[in-house]
């Protein structure tokens, strides 16, 4: 939505006026921190002059499909990027990754994940955050395995 707004030559303040919210809320909407309904997506698209109805329909469906999943239990424990990654994986049709320095997160065992977080590039983590990161990684792994075993 942000790219569509920018393509239309509008500011976040202009977009906020289209849906009667303040600029800060519009920024949160565009960043995906606040979800909106399909009607809001359609209003913004109309205000941006988007004429591709297929694109607008796809964006509206995406807005409706925004899921509050298992990863939300970690919202007060982990950085936002961890939650975003789990949500993106949840909605993905497939995942391709190449990592040459370590085993990909979705393939790590609990012991390996713990070692990665204990000895990684970040500063030493408090035990609670270390345990949360490992538990989150294991749930990502389990959710991915379950999802990939189910036909789409």
């Amino acid at each position: 939505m942000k790219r569509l707004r920018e393509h239309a030559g509008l500011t976040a303040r202009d977009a906020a006026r289209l849906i009667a919210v303040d600029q800060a809320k519009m920024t949160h909407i565009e960043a995906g921190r606040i979800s909106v309904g399909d009607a809001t997506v359609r209003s913004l698209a109309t205000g941006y002059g988007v004429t591709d109805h297929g694109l607008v329909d796809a964006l509206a469906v995406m807005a409706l499909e925004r899921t509050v999943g298992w990863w939300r239990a970690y919202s007060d424990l982990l950085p936002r990027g961890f939650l975003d990654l789990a949500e993106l994986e949840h909605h993905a049709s497939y995942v391709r990754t190449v990592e040459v320095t370590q085993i990909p997160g979705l393939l790590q065992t609990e012991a390996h994940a713990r070692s990665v977080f204990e000895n990684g590039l970040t500063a030493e983590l408090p035990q609670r955050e270390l345990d949360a990161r490992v538990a989150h990684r294991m749930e990502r792994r389990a959710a991915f395995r379950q999802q990939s075993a189910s036909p789409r």
Side-chain angles (χ1 to χ4, degrees), residues 20-148:
V21 298
D22 61 39
Q23 183 178 348
K25 186 168 185 176
M26 189 68 217
T27 302
H28 288 297
I29 290 169
E30 288 183 341
R33 290 185 290 269
I34 297 175
S35 44
V36 294
D38 63 324
T40 301
V41 169
R42 290 179 190 283
S43 294
L44 288 169
T46 299
Y48 298 164
V50 178
T51 57
D52 181 345
H53 297 293
L55 174 62
V56 175
D57 290 343
L59 291 170
V61 168
M62 287 172 59
L64 292 174
E65 288 179 346
R66 182 92 196 232
T67 308
V68 176
W70 62 265
W71 51 90
R72 291 288 187 203
Y74 296 90
S75 62
D76 62 335
L77 301 169
L78 299 175
R80 177 78 191 174
F82 280 75
L83 308 177
D84 292 344
L85 179 61
E87 184 175 2
L88 288 170
E89 288 170 344
H90 173 77
H91 290 292
S93 299
Y94 57 89
V95 175
R96 291 183 187 169
T97 181
V98 175
E99 296 183 38
V100 294
T101 59
Q102 63 179 323
I103 296 170
L106 293 174
L107 300 176
Q108 292 175 3
T109 64
E110 184 172 345
H112 185 84
R114 184 169 298 281
S115 177
V116 167
F117 289 125
E118 285 176 339
N119 302 303
L121 299 175
T122 59
E124 187 173 326
L125 299 170
Q127 189 64 43
R128 182 171 182 237
E129 187 172 344
L130 174 67
D131 292 342
R133 286 183 183 210
V134 171
H136 174 267
R137 172 120 341 139
M138 293 302 99
E139 281 202 54
R140 271 182 58 212
R141 180 180 180 207
F144 179 76
R145 285 182 170 192
Q146 180 181 16
Q147 185 176 350
S148 62

